[in-house]
Amino acid sequence: MDEVKVVVAHSERATLRVGDVFLKVDADQARIDVEVEAMALAPVPTPEVLWRKPSVLAIAAVPGTALGRLGEPSTASPAAWAAAGAVIRKLHEAPLPPWPGRRRQGPDELAAELDGECELLVTNGVLPADLVTRNRQVAEAALRPWTPVFTHGDLQLDHVFVDGDEITGIIDWSEGGPGDALFDLATVTLGHEEHLADVVAGYGTDVDLDVIRAWWSVRSLLGVRWLVEHGFDPFAAGCEVDVLRARM
């Protein structure tokens, strides 16, 4: 009998693996609905949807291994990272999905969210003021208008699977929708700055590297407190707090 493995679990959602099947249990049915629709529309490799019921989605495992993991060296080749960039470009060139993005919609909303979070990080003693202040300055470059494209919205590098130099699948589409292209590029390279050039080469067009670095600061500043509260460790080597320290 296949063993049941808990992939991730917290108060909002849980993912279990049973053999080659992943069961995603989500308190927010809208996230499941978006995930299914995004995978159907995205012109890139995605997992097969086996079935879904209220609050539960069953998908098949994709072949290959993750491009990498935050806090660990990636064993993927430069060509695999470039292939990831090419696949991301293909997604961004696709028609926009017919629903609004689940993440913040513009620079003003983002700035307000970021300022509130920075204040909490300092007043609650989560991070030192100088680290927060410096990264809030870096983050400013992301606070500009962007033309929405079809984004994954949570393109962590362990959501991208490779076999050799080929992308075999992209998983976890619950945040998919219109968004900033450079946010996806920043998310997949978070904590792996050494592979940014490979991803950009595969993406195949000029991008503003300062904006990508700004999104690293934004994502890390907005994520630290949530991660701590949900049992994750953003202070681990190579993770979000180290990403912030690298901007000093």
Side-chain angles (χ1 to χ4, degrees):
M1 180 176 181
D2 287 319
E3 178 180 298
V4 177
K5 179 182 179 182
V6 178
V7 179
V8 64
H10 49 76
S11 60
E12 296 179 5
R13 69 188 86 164
T15 301
L16 310 175
R17 179 169 187 168
V18 186
D20 288 332
V21 176
F22 286 88
L23 298 176
K24 305 189 75 171
V25 184
D26 201 317
D28 184 352
Q29 180 64 38
R31 271 196 295 251
I32 290 179
D33 295 339
V34 165
E35 181 151 10
V36 172
E37 294 303 318
M39 288 191 292
L41 292 176
V44 301
T46 61
E48 177 189 359
V49 175
L50 301 176
W51 52 263
R52 63 167 160 162
K53 296 181 179 181
S55 300
V56 183
L57 173 65
I59 61 175
V62 297
T65 58
L67 186 63
R69 298 191 184 282
L70 188 62
E72 300 177 9
S74 171
T75 60
S77 68
W81 283 87
V87 168
I88 296 168
R89 175 70 179 274
K90 187 174 183 180
L91 173 66
H92 291 170
E93 291 179 336
L96 286 174
W99 61 84
R102 290 176 54 85
R103 292 186 177 270
R104 73 281 308 170
Q105 293 300 296
D108 292 340
E109 184 180 353
L110 175 61
E113 181 181 1
L114 190 57
D115 288 340
E117 190 61 31
C118 287
E119 182 178 354
L120 288 171
L121 288 170
V122 175
T123 58
N124 293 342
V126 180
L127 293 175
D130 61 340
L131 184 63
V132 173
T133 298
R134 170 56 182 157
N135 278 275
R136 178 60 183 84
Q137 293 169 346
V138 173
E140 191 68 24
L143 307 181
R144 85 285 179 234
W146 58 78
T147 300
V149 300
F150 191 164
T151 60
H152 180 279
D154 190 24
L155 198 59
Q156 301 175 52
L157 71 168
D158 58 356
H159 291 166
V160 181
F161 279 71
V162 299
D163 184 1
D165 298 336
E166 179 183 355
I167 304 302
T168 56
I170 299 177
I171 66 171
D172 287 355
W173 288 82
S174 61
E175 303 294 334
D180 181 11
L182 298 190
F183 179 74
D184 271 355
L185 294 177
T187 303
V188 79
T189 54
L190 184 76
H192 286 268
E193 186 168 358
E194 70 277 11
H195 294 295
L196 177 59
D198 298 323
V199 171
V200 170
Y203 195 73
T205 188
D206 290 337
V207 300
D208 191 328
L209 298 183
D210 286 339
V211 174
I212 290 179
R213 295 185 182 101
W215 275 122
W216 289 339
S217 291
V218 171
R219 184 174 178 104
S220 298
L221 287 169
L222 293 179
V224 166
R225 201 166 54 88
W226 185 95
L227 290 165
V228 170
E229 291 174 353
H230 288 79
F232 301 100
D233 185 9
F235 292 87
C239 293
E240 285 80 3
V241 175
D242 273 358
V243 170
L244 296 173
R245 289 171 177 153
R247 309 273 72 80
M248 297 296 286

